[in-house]
Amino acid sequence: MKTVIIKYNAGNVQSVMYALDRLGANYLLTDDEAEIRSADKVIFPGVGEASTAMAYLRQRGLDKLIPSLKQPVLGTCVGMQLMCRHSEENDATCMGIFDIDVRRLPGDVGLKVPHTGWNSIHSLKSPLTAGLTENDYVYFVHSYAADVCEHTTAVCEYGRPFSAMLHRDNFYAAQFHAEISGNVGQRILENFLRL
């Protein structure tokens, strides 16, 4: 099985590679269209700012390639946000795989933004959450999040409920960093690789 990690200048790639190493997965870090299209699984990670990341994707044609993929695709953190329709972060038009907007988390309710640290997820209904229990903890670092919608497969609460995970067709996404979320994150990655 060939897994590709999309290379697009958005941090945390090394931690994703370490997580895949721990699972014994074969992977390639690339932005080459042919390599991405021929992969069995695609991981679209990210740490950074939405409009800059989208500009980089557009320069390389990845903004058109990613939504056209037919194999299982997993977007994490900013990768998930870029798979949505629009982000309030610098008014970024994103790829629209998920028909939902990404909004800034509320900082006016006594909570610090960015949301950084462990938080629980609930309302689990994804093949990726098989073997997890309601209210398992995962690790977040973000200031923006997608609202709960028809594609939501896990919910987290931080000032408001938001989509911790999304799923539509062959596209899966997690707002948290599965690669550094301990045994829970490892199970999610294992489940993705088994799809």
Side-chain angles (χ1 to χ4, degrees):
M1 180 175 65
K2 176 179 157 188
T3 300
V4 160
I5 303 169
I6 295 180
K7 177 182 169 186
Y8 73 106
N9 231 16
N12 92 313
V13 171
Q14 200 65 49
S15 60
V16 173
M17 290 172 17
Y18 289 148
L20 293 176
D21 285 341
R22 287 190 303 271
L23 294 171
N26 295 317
Y27 61 86
L28 173 67
L29 175 64
T30 186
D31 63 0
D32 179 76
E33 179 177 351
E35 291 285 359
I36 295 169
R37 284 200 186 279
S38 69
D40 299 300
K41 305 283 187 314
V42 174
I43 298 177
F44 179 49
V47 169
E49 182 272 324
S51 64
T52 303
M54 279 305 301
Y56 188 92
L57 293 175
R58 283 188 192 96
Q59 280 179 335
R60 285 157 178 73
L62 296 171
D63 64 317
K64 302 293 186 217
L65 171 65
I66 294 167
S68 74
L69 296 175
K70 303 300 182 204
Q71 68 271 61
V73 176
L74 173 61
T76 61
C77 199
V78 170
M80 170 173 155
Q81 294 175 14
L82 300 179
M83 293 166 79
C84 294
R85 179 179 52 218
H86 179 267
S87 175
E88 283 184 352
E89 187 173 25
N90 292 322
D91 193 28
T93 299
C94 300
M95 290 184 281
I97 294 165
F98 300 109
D99 191 24
I100 188 72
D101 291 341
V102 174
R103 298 185 303 125
R104 184 164 173 77
L105 292 169
D108 59 347
V109 292
L111 298 172
K112 291 183 181 181
V113 176
H115 172 211
T116 303
W118 296 90
N119 205 340
S120 62
I121 55 174
H122 62 86
S123 305
L124 308 178
K125 54 182 179 182
S126 168
L128 301 191
T129 57
L132 302 185
T133 57
E134 289 290 314
N135 299 307
D136 269 341
Y137 280 77
V138 291
Y139 194 81
F140 291 91
V141 181
H142 64 121
S143 299
Y144 295 83
D147 289 328
V148 175
C149 65
E150 66 181 300
H151 303 298
T152 300
T153 56
V155 176
C156 184
E157 314 279 336
Y158 194 79
R160 65 175 167 90
F162 66 85
S163 291
M165 296 181 80
L166 296 169
H167 174 214
R168 180 179 152 251
D169 302 326
N170 58 307
F171 294 98
Y172 300 83
Q175 179 57 63
F176 51 88
H177 291 278
E179 74 280 3
I180 57 173
S181 290
N183 292 336
V184 172
Q186 181 171 317
R187 174 56 72 96
I188 289 167
L189 289 173
E190 286 173 340
N191 289 340
F192 174 71
L193 293 175
R194 287 184 185 134
L195 290 175

